[in-house]
Amino acid sequence: MIHAFPCGTPALDFVGTLRARRNDEPTEKLASVADLDAWCVESGLLDGAPASDAGDLRHAVELREAIYALVRARLLDRPLPAEAVGTVNRYAAHPPLTPVLTEAGWSRVGSAAQVLSQLAREAVEIVGGDAAALLRECGRPECTQVYLDHSRGRRREWCSMATCGSRMKAAAYRARRRAGVDA
C-alpha cells in the first residue's frame, strides 16, 4: 500500500493525500495517474483501477483542495469559501459509483470521475451535517490529517495512534527523560 487511511472516512483520507501541508515542501501522494488509481483501489472504493487520465488527476487535486478548504473553514469556525462550495457541489452532481451484486458479494464499479463524485457527496454530508462538529486536525505539528473524532469524550488528539500518536508519546517520553537527567 502506498496510501494511508487513518481518518476513518474516504473523503477525509483523500484530503490527506497532500501530507504535511504547512511544511515548506508538503508530500504529494497524488503525483501521478498511477497514484490516483492506486488510491481508488486501496481506499476500497473500487476493486480495480479506474484507468484514470491526466484530466482525472487534475480534477482529483482540485476536489481535494476544495474539500480541505471547507473542512478548514469548519475547523476555524469561519464561513465556507464560496469557490470551494461551488467546486464540491459541481463534483457531487456527477453520477456516483454503481454498486453491483456478484457471486462473491458486492462491490462498486465506475470511473475516476464517479469516485470523485462519491467523495464530494461524502464531503457535503460531513461539512454540511452534524459530523462537522466532530472534525479535528491531528495534534502532531508536522501532520495536517483531518478526521472525525468519534472517541468517548471527544478528546482524540491524533489522526492515528499507530503513527502520529506513538511519535508524539515517544517524543514526550524522551523529553521527560531528558528533563529528569538534567534535574
Side-chain angles (χ1 to χ4, degrees), residues 18-27 142:
L18 182 63
R19 303 255 175 86
R21 288 175 177 273
R22 289 186 289 274
N23 288 3
D24 291 337
E25 293 184 33
T27 304
E142 299 81 25

Side-chain angles (χ1 to χ4, degrees), residues 165-177:
S166 70
R167 288 178 187 163
M168 292 297 290
K169 286 187 170 208
Y173 174 77
R174 287 190 300 273
R176 285 192 308 274
R177 297 276 297 173

